[in-house]
PDB file of all heavy atoms in Angstrom:
ATOM      1  N   ARG A  62      -0.270  29.028  27.417  1.00 97.00           N
ATOM      2  CA  ARG A  62      -1.335  29.771  28.049  1.00 97.00           C
ATOM      3  C   ARG A  62      -2.450  28.823  28.372  1.00 97.00           C
ATOM      4  O   ARG A  62      -2.595  27.696  27.809  1.00 97.00           O
ATOM      5  CB  ARG A  62      -1.880  30.872  27.123  1.00 97.00           C
ATOM      6  CG  ARG A  62      -2.577  30.399  25.888  1.00 97.00           C
ATOM      7  CD  ARG A  62      -3.028  31.555  25.019  1.00 97.00           C
ATOM      8  NE  ARG A  62      -3.864  31.004  23.900  1.00 97.00           N
ATOM      9  CZ  ARG A  62      -4.723  31.690  23.315  1.00 97.00           C
ATOM     10  NH1 ARG A  62      -4.906  33.028  23.543  1.00 97.00           N
ATOM     11  NH2 ARG A  62      -5.360  31.145  22.315  1.00 97.00           N
ATOM     12  N   TYR A  63      -3.208  29.151  29.309  1.00 97.00           N
ATOM     13  CA  TYR A  63      -4.347  28.345  29.775  1.00 97.00           C
ATOM     14  C   TYR A  63      -5.344  29.271  30.403  1.00 97.00           C
ATOM     15  O   TYR A  63      -5.069  30.423  30.741  1.00 97.00           O
ATOM     16  CB  TYR A  63      -3.898  27.243  30.860  1.00 97.00           C
ATOM     17  CG  TYR A  63      -3.074  27.840  31.955  1.00 97.00           C
ATOM     18  CD1 TYR A  63      -3.782  28.280  33.199  1.00 97.00           C
ATOM     19  CD2 TYR A  63      -1.673  28.176  31.944  1.00 97.00           C
ATOM     20  CE1 TYR A  63      -3.027  28.745  34.210  1.00 97.00           C
ATOM     21  CE2 TYR A  63      -1.034  28.684  33.012  1.00 97.00           C
ATOM     22  CZ  TYR A  63      -1.693  29.031  34.099  1.00 97.00           C
ATOM     23  OH  TYR A  63      -1.005  29.520  35.158  1.00 97.00           O
ATOM     24  N   LYS A  64      -6.612  28.706  30.582  1.00 97.00           N
ATOM     25  CA  LYS A  64      -7.646  29.525  31.150  1.00 97.00           C
ATOM     26  C   LYS A  64      -7.929  29.237  32.595  1.00 97.00           C
ATOM     27  O   LYS A  64      -7.671  28.088  33.004  1.00 97.00           O
ATOM     28  CB  LYS A  64      -8.918  29.276  30.356  1.00 97.00           C
ATOM     29  CG  LYS A  64      -9.176  30.057  29.160  1.00 97.00           C
ATOM     30  CD  LYS A  64     -10.612  30.175  28.708  1.00 97.00           C
ATOM     31  CE  LYS A  64     -10.666  31.090  27.565  1.00 97.00           C
ATOM     32  NZ  LYS A  64     -12.088  31.127  27.052  1.00 97.00           N
ATOM     33  N   ARG A  65      -8.200  30.206  33.380  1.00 98.00           N
ATOM     34  CA  ARG A  65      -8.572  30.094  34.754  1.00 98.00           C
ATOM     35  C   ARG A  65      -9.996  30.516  34.824  1.00 98.00           C
ATOM     36  O   ARG A  65     -10.385  31.541  34.258  1.00 98.00           O
ATOM     37  CB  ARG A  65      -7.771  30.999  35.717  1.00 98.00           C
ATOM     38  CG  ARG A  65      -8.084  30.906  37.093  1.00 98.00           C
ATOM     39  CD  ARG A  65      -7.168  31.605  38.021  1.00 98.00           C
ATOM     40  NE  ARG A  65      -5.817  31.001  38.040  1.00 98.00           N
ATOM     41  CZ  ARG A  65      -5.476  29.882  38.755  1.00 98.00           C
ATOM     42  NH1 ARG A  65      -6.411  29.366  39.472  1.00 98.00           N
ATOM     43  NH2 ARG A  65      -4.233  29.453  38.601  1.00 98.00           N
ATOM     44  N   TYR A  66     -10.816  29.601  35.283  1.00 98.00           N
ATOM     45  CA  TYR A  66     -12.271  29.811  35.444  1.00 98.00           C
ATOM     46  C   TYR A  66     -12.724  30.236  36.853  1.00 98.00           C
ATOM     47  O   TYR A  66     -12.261  29.641  37.857  1.00 98.00           O
ATOM     48  CB  TYR A  66     -12.972  28.581  35.084  1.00 98.00           C
ATOM     49  CG  TYR A  66     -12.779  28.204  33.546  1.00 98.00           C
ATOM     50  CD1 TYR A  66     -11.907  27.139  33.284  1.00 98.00           C
ATOM     51  CD2 TYR A  66     -13.482  28.670  32.575  1.00 98.00           C
ATOM     52  CE1 TYR A  66     -11.679  26.767  32.013  1.00 98.00           C
ATOM     53  CE2 TYR A  66     -13.334  28.292  31.258  1.00 98.00           C
ATOM     54  CZ  TYR A  66     -12.359  27.336  30.994  1.00 98.00           C
ATOM     55  OH  TYR A  66     -12.209  26.876  29.647  1.00 98.00           O
ATOM     56  N   TYR A  67     -13.685  31.170  36.851  1.00 98.00           N
ATOM     57  CA  TYR A  67     -14.174  31.709  38.065  1.00 98.00           C
ATOM     58  C   TYR A  67     -15.631  31.314  38.150  1.00 98.00           C
ATOM     59  O   TYR A  67     -16.415  31.770  37.236  1.00 98.00           O
ATOM     60  CB  TYR A  67     -13.964  33.194  38.293  1.00 98.00           C
ATOM     61  CG  TYR A  67     -12.556  33.656  38.228  1.00 98.00           C
ATOM     62  CD1 TYR A  67     -11.916  33.871  36.979  1.00 98.00           C
ATOM     63  CD2 TYR A  67     -11.831  33.718  39.384  1.00 98.00           C
ATOM     64  CE1 TYR A  67     -10.640  34.233  36.907  1.00 98.00           C
ATOM     65  CE2 TYR A  67     -10.430  34.070  39.340  1.00 98.00           C
ATOM     66  CZ  TYR A  67      -9.942  34.317  38.102  1.00 98.00           C
ATOM     67  OH  TYR A  67      -8.537  34.757  38.016  1.00 98.00           O
ATOM     68  N   VAL A  68     -16.091  30.497  39.028  1.00 96.00           N
ATOM     69  CA  VAL A  68     -17.450  30.029  39.121  1.00 96.00           C
ATOM     70  C   VAL A  68     -18.151  30.543  40.342  1.00 96.00           C
ATOM     71  O   VAL A  68     -17.596  30.206  41.405  1.00 96.00           O
ATOM     72  CB  VAL A  68     -17.623  28.515  38.941  1.00 96.00           C
ATOM     73  CG1 VAL A  68     -19.022  27.949  38.977  1.00 96.00           C
ATOM     74  CG2 VAL A  68     -16.942  28.070  37.669  1.00 96.00           C
ATOM     75  N   THR A  69     -19.247  31.278  40.229  1.00 93.00           N
ATOM     76  CA  THR A  69     -19.938  31.868  41.449  1.00 93.00           C
ATOM     77  C   THR A  69     -21.438  31.484  41.239  1.00 93.00           C
ATOM     78  O   THR A  69     -21.930  31.376  40.129  1.00 93.00           O
ATOM     79  CB  THR A  69     -19.682  33.306  41.642  1.00 93.00           C
ATOM     80  OG1 THR A  69     -20.091  34.026  40.406  1.00 93.00           O
ATOM     81  CG2 THR A  69     -18.213  33.543  41.956  1.00 93.00           C
ATOM     82  N   GLU A  70     -22.134  31.588  42.395  1.00 87.00           N
ATOM     83  CA  GLU A  70     -23.582  31.426  42.338  1.00 87.00           C
ATOM     84  C   GLU A  70     -24.108  32.841  42.536  1.00 87.00           C
ATOM     85  O   GLU A  70     -23.553  33.532  43.392  1.00 87.00           O
ATOM     86  CB  GLU A  70     -23.993  30.428  43.410  1.00 87.00           C
ATOM     87  CG  GLU A  70     -23.593  29.004  43.127  1.00 87.00           C
ATOM     88  CD  GLU A  70     -24.044  28.107  44.309  1.00 87.00           C
ATOM     89  OE1 GLU A  70     -23.575  28.108  45.279  1.00 87.00           O
ATOM     90  OE2 GLU A  70     -25.009  27.377  43.959  1.00 87.00           O
TER      91      GLU A  70
END
Side-chain angles (χ1 to χ4, degrees):
R62 69 181 186 157
Y63 54 93
K64 277 202 176 173
R65 180 169 296 279
Y66 295 97
Y67 303 88
V68 180
T69 56
E70 295 179 283

